Amino acid sequence: MKGTNLGEFEEIALLTILVLKDDAYGVSIKREINEQGKRNISRGALHTALSRLEEKGFLTSRQGQGNEDRGGRPKRYYEVTNKGLAALQESKEVRDQLWSQVPAFHLQ
C-alpha cells in the first residue's frame, strides 16, 4: 500500500524515537542518529522526515513547555504510534526474511 513503506532514514528516525522514549525531540533525535548511526544529518533533513512520518500517521508530536534556555520556545516531542510500530515490525520481518535467504558469504 502506498505510503506505508519505510525508507531507511525513516526507519532509523522511528527507532531512535523509541530509544529516546520521553526525551525524543528534534535536537536529541539528531544527536542520537549522529552518534549511533555515525552520520551527520541536517536539521532540515530530520524535520522533513519527521513531518512525513507524522503525515503517514507513524508519529504524533506535542509541544512541551517553553523555557528561558530556549528563549521561551517550547520543544516538540515525538512519539511512535501503533501504526508506526506496525510499519517497523513489517520492515523488520521483510529484512529478516531476505537475510535468512542470503547464502553465507565472506568479506575479504
Side-chain angles (χ1 to χ4, degrees):
M1 187 182 314
K2 185 174 173 77
T4 60
N5 292 328
L6 291 174
E8 178 203 14
F9 187 64
E10 290 176 325
E11 185 175 355
I12 288 170
L14 287 174
L15 289 169
T16 301
I17 291 166
L18 290 173
V19 167
L20 291 171
K21 301 176 188 160
D22 293 335
D23 198 35
Y25 62 96
V27 172
S28 67
I29 296 167
K30 181 181 183 302
R31 181 177 47 241
E32 193 73 17
I33 290 173
N34 287 347
E35 289 174 9
Q36 294 222 26
K38 296 178 180 41
R39 56 200 295 178
N40 189 17
I41 61 165
S42 70
R43 285 185 353 194
L46 178 60
H47 177 73
T48 299
L50 294 174
S51 294
R52 189 170 48 243
L53 288 165
E54 199 162 9
E55 287 171 11
K56 289 180 177 182
F58 294 162
L59 285 181
T60 59
S61 67
R62 63 174 173 77
Q63 288 213 320
Q65 298 293 320
N67 64 41
E68 292 179 25
D69 293 339
R70 296 175 43 84
R73 294 185 325 258
K75 294 177 183 176
R76 178 162 294 280
Y77 291 91
Y78 294 90
E79 185 176 350
V80 179
T81 64
N82 286 335
K83 186 175 178 180
L85 291 171
L88 280 170
Q89 184 64 40
E90 182 179 331
S91 180
K92 182 182 183 314
E93 289 170 3
V94 167
R95 289 177 192 263
D96 289 348
Q97 179 66 28
L98 287 167
W99 272 109
S100 73
Q101 296 176 54
V102 172
F105 62 93
H106 301 280
L107 297 177
Q108 297 184 18

